[in-house]
Amino acid sequence: MALPRVSMVQFLVQKGFLNEDQFKEAQLVQQQTKNPDLGKILVDLGMVGEREVLQARAQELGVGFADLDRVTIDASVINAVPERIAKNHNVIPVRKQDNTLWLAMANVNNLQAIDDVQIATGCRVQTVIAVPGAIEDAIHKYYTGGTSNGDAAKAGTTPKSSAGSTPAAAMAAGSSLADMRQAIAEAGVRRGREGEEDAEGDDEKLAEQAPIIRLANALIQQALSDRASDIHVEPQPKSVRVRYRIDGVLMEAMTIPKNLLAPLISLFKIMADMNIAERRLPQDGRIEVRHQGKEIDLRVSSIPTPFGEKIVMRILDKSGTQIGLGKLGFLEENQLKIEELVSQPNGMFLCTGPTGSGKTTTLYSILYMLNTIGVNILTAEDPIEYQLNGISQVQMNRKAGLTFATTLRSFLRQDPDIIMVGEIRDLETAEIGVESSLTGHLVLSTLHTNDAPSATLRLIDMGVEPYLVSAVLMGVLAQRLCRRIDNDHRESYEVKASELRRFGMPMEDSDKMVTLWRGVPHEDNRDTGYMGRTGVHELMVMNAEIAELIVRRAPLNDIKEAAKANGMKELREDGLTKVLLGQTDPQEVMRVVFTAGY
């Protein structure tokens, strides 16, 4: 028998989930966006939770609503519908009586799902509405046996959060965009009822509540699914903007209501073991999560702003899946030169570039290649980004007095063969690194310079004697990371050779047409046309001429010309090669390589 019908808005108003002003605001947004789905608008605005909207929609359609978090489904009912059908259509049976099967689904107008279930079971299907995320959880619970914390622990996963779960458990669980929207709405409703001005203790209490936990979890899990390297939670005057850095470029993920900022920041601080009561000073912390069976580190940093605290989380995949010189986009000639240089028993090899250009990953890849049973490798890092078996890695702790310089002194008493220093920041560290090279050790490190030849002048400016720089330096690698064209969605086009002149394109025939490739925006690449990143490199190998110029403190241009005569390809030339190979496009190379005065 059909249930009595009540309009969605009428139901929400009667239940106290929606007031007249909110309804008018949602109607205005609907008129501006021409979106026919008022329920989705209410959820996106954070006025009403997805659960409440679906309850109201059930009343409007005259069907039942299934609260899957509160019901237990009999095994005989589950066995009636094959797992494949349940997962394909995101549906789950909840009750069976005689020849009638009640099927929970988010969209009761999904006739294909209803037909598939009826054919598979031979039953007449009665539809009921349920929250999509709850259906997904139920499918996991009943079809894959993830019903207990003990079972989950045996499988190496963490159980999904509930109202009584801890934030630590929640952060490791999977989540979807639907969960995120629902959590925002639920948290917004609950936060609204508690009032805007909460004490610190209230924020901590709210941070433990399930909607906020699910929201934080969803933000992190979505970032991991999108291959983001950083998560930015940025308070604005009237809202909170969330952005992900994907392939080196910040992209807006979503906007959440301002009243959720305090409990959300409090939850992240709890997870990162930071001081929840301190809101006036910057803080740092660390969160560990699991994603698709991998250990992920989140390096959390908070700073105070006029509109509230801003949180940035750096995502570090501890498994280091991209380690290996062959995976970093080196041209074969450069890779062979690097392998030859670092096979020397002593000397210094530097990797330079701005922050986020992949310097540390390159050094890790070199260590991965050199790591054999016959060598003792020590690293001083801040932070330790990848954990490599067989290598002794030391995390810097400046508060405790453990700096690069003090660590390097200790390393020399540890019988090392190879030393990696995360970054040469000062004269003391540089001098110890040079001394280590002179006394028979291979030293790898990074510097912040725009190109390879500039590294020599940077060391001299720090106070290292030019004759020492020329004596120990074997080579310098400058690099950048540019986005790769999505190979699955790309198209070719032609340009005149003259348009590539600034990249160092030979100009034998400036009118000659050159075939290039560009990415086609698609949902698979977030409408950017790019998928992943590759390196653009500039490798300077030392020789007698360059060493003499360094000792004479010659101008940078002289050193650069000597390096080019010795076979060095500039960053722009390496970028041009990768453009011609169809790996990236000219605009992307210009974005990462060309700077003022280049």
Side-chain angles (χ1 to χ4, degrees), residues 208-479:
E208 298 283 354
Q209 294 178 350
I212 288 293
I213 292 174
R214 287 205 301 274
L215 171 59
N217 179 38
L219 289 175
I220 291 174
Q221 295 295 334
Q222 189 62 41
L224 295 174
S225 297
D226 287 347
R227 303 175 297 102
S229 61
D230 301 86
I231 303 170
H232 292 241
V233 181
E234 305 168 323
Q236 307 294 312
K238 296 183 180 180
S239 63
V240 181
R241 181 173 65 177
V242 178
R243 293 192 292 175
Y244 297 153
R245 187 176 293 279
I246 301 173
D247 295 334
V249 178
L250 277 172
M251 300 181 183
E252 185 160 330
M254 68 184 312
T255 300
I256 61 179
K258 185 64 178 286
N259 61 359
L260 300 185
L261 176 65
L264 183 61
I265 296 297
S266 295
L267 175 57
F268 285 137
K269 283 186 168 184
I270 291 169
M271 292 303 306
D273 197 23
M274 296 157 67
N275 184 355
I276 193 173
E278 179 56 73
R279 302 180 180 182
R280 298 168 298 175
L281 297 174
Q283 293 188 65
D284 295 305
R286 175 186 173 195
I287 299 173
E288 288 188 356
V289 299
R290 288 183 66 84
H291 180 71
Q292 297 180 350
K294 295 188 293 186
E295 295 285 345
I296 306 293
D297 262 3
L298 302 178
R299 302 301 167 94
V300 184
S301 172
S302 71
I303 59 171
T305 76
F307 307 117
E309 286 184 280
K310 174 181 177 178
I311 286 273
V312 173
M313 290 177 279
R314 182 76 182 272
I315 300 173
L316 300 175
D317 181 354
K318 291 163 69 174
S319 65
T321 55
Q322 290 299 312
I323 289 180
L325 289 176
K327 300 178 181 179
L328 303 182
F330 284 100
L331 297 177
E332 184 178 5
E333 58 183 293
N334 280 341
Q335 183 172 335
L336 291 174
K337 287 179 183 178
I338 291 172
E339 291 174 354
E340 181 181 355
L341 286 173
V342 299
S343 64
Q344 305 300 315
N346 61 280
M348 180 180 284
F349 181 83
L350 298 178
C351 191
T352 76
T355 300
S357 60
K359 302 185 298 295
T360 303
T361 301
T362 298
L363 293 186
Y364 272 124
S365 299
I366 293 173
L367 291 180
Y368 184 78
M369 179 187 71
L370 298 175
N371 186 17
T372 64
I373 195 69
V375 297
N376 179 23
I377 302 177
L378 303 175
T379 73
E381 305 173 55
D382 188 18
I384 296 174
E385 296 192 14
Y386 305 136
Q387 293 179 346
L388 300 177
N389 292 331
I391 294 178
S392 300
Q393 298 171 266
V394 180
Q395 168 73 54
M396 298 300 94
N397 187 342
R398 277 173 281 181
K399 290 182 180 178
L402 188 62
T403 64
F404 285 119
T406 57
T407 303
L408 275 177
R409 288 196 196 93
S410 299
F411 278 2
L412 295 178
R413 296 189 291 272
Q414 288 283 319
D415 186 31
D417 295 295
I418 301 170
I419 296 173
M420 194 269 271
V421 186
E423 181 184 345
I424 294 178
R425 299 176 177 174
D426 51 44
L427 175 60
E428 187 177 14
T429 305
E431 286 181 334
I432 299 172
V434 168
E435 179 186 341
S436 301
S437 302
L438 289 171
T439 54
H441 305 95
L442 176 63
V443 177
L444 310 176
S445 191
T446 70
L447 271 179
H448 287 286
T449 62
N450 286 332
D451 56 24
S454 297
T456 59
L457 300 188
R458 177 78 179 111
L459 289 173
I460 294 171
D461 287 343
M462 282 184 179
V464 181
E465 291 295 333
Y467 73 91
L468 291 176
V469 175
S470 66
V472 302
L473 199 60
M474 301 185 301
V476 183
L477 175 72
Q479 67 178 59

Side-chain angles (χ1 to χ4, degrees), residues 17 31 73 75 139 159 213 231 317 364 418 514 522 538 541 589:
F17 296 125
Q31 292 171 2
I73 307 174
I139 290 172
I213 292 174
I231 303 170
D317 181 354
Y364 272 124
I418 301 170
V514 180
H522 189 273
E538 177 179 284
V541 179
V589 174

Side-chain angles (χ1 to χ4, degrees), residues 33-291:
T33 61
K34 300 187 180 347
N35 185 350
D37 191 348
L38 182 62
K40 185 177 184 303
I41 292 173
L42 292 172
V43 172
D44 289 344
L45 291 175
M47 295 176 176
V48 183
E50 185 181 32
R51 172 193 173 88
E52 287 73 26
V53 166
L54 290 175
Q55 280 182 303
R57 191 158 284 162
Q59 288 289 324
E60 191 173 61
L61 297 173
V63 300
F65 176 82
D67 188 349
L68 297 179
D69 293 332
R70 298 184 181 181
V71 300
T72 300
I73 307 174
D74 190 82
S76 62
V77 177
I78 292 294
N79 292 336
V81 176
E83 180 179 357
R84 173 183 55 82
I85 293 177
K87 287 185 174 179
N88 283 349
H89 297 294
N90 198 36
V91 300
I92 192 163
V94 293
R95 181 186 168 204
K96 187 175 184 292
Q97 184 177 356
D98 298 327
N99 198 42
T100 300
L101 183 75
W102 278 262
L103 188 68
M105 53 202 306
N107 177 15
V108 294
N109 294 319
N110 187 345
L111 300 181
Q112 184 64 56
I114 296 171
D115 288 344
D116 287 353
V117 172
Q118 287 183 154
I119 292 171
T121 63
C123 295
R124 186 172 68 89
V125 170
Q126 287 272 26
T127 57
V128 294
I129 290 180
V131 176
I135 297 174
E136 293 173 6
D137 289 348
I139 290 172
H140 172 75
K141 176 179 177 181
Y142 289 103
Y143 282 102
T144 63
T147 57
S148 70
N149 292 359
D151 292 339
K154 291 175 186 176
T157 60
T158 307
K160 196 151 186 175
S161 64
S162 62
S165 66
T166 64
M171 300 301 277
S175 191
S176 65
L177 286 173
D179 293 331
M180 196 186 300
R181 295 191 186 99
Q182 180 187 359
I184 290 173
E186 290 179 3
V189 171
R190 189 169 300 183
R191 179 72 164 165
R193 290 172 182 167
E194 295 292 335
E196 292 285 345
E197 302 296 332
D198 289 295
E200 290 170 0
D202 293 332
D203 283 336
E204 185 169 0
K205 184 177 179 181
L206 281 165
E208 298 283 354
Q209 294 178 350
I212 288 293
I213 292 174
R214 287 205 301 274
L215 171 59
N217 179 38
L219 289 175
I220 291 174
Q221 295 295 334
Q222 189 62 41
L224 295 174
S225 297
D226 287 347
R227 303 175 297 102
S229 61
D230 301 86
I231 303 170
H232 292 241
V233 181
E234 305 168 323
Q236 307 294 312
K238 296 183 180 180
S239 63
V240 181
R241 181 173 65 177
V242 178
R243 293 192 292 175
Y244 297 153
R245 187 176 293 279
I246 301 173
D247 295 334
V249 178
L250 277 172
M251 300 181 183
E252 185 160 330
M254 68 184 312
T255 300
I256 61 179
K258 185 64 178 286
N259 61 359
L260 300 185
L261 176 65
L264 183 61
I265 296 297
S266 295
L267 175 57
F268 285 137
K269 283 186 168 184
I270 291 169
M271 292 303 306
D273 197 23
M274 296 157 67
N275 184 355
I276 193 173
E278 179 56 73
R279 302 180 180 182
R280 298 168 298 175
L281 297 174
Q283 293 188 65
D284 295 305
R286 175 186 173 195
I287 299 173
E288 288 188 356
V289 299
R290 288 183 66 84
H291 180 71

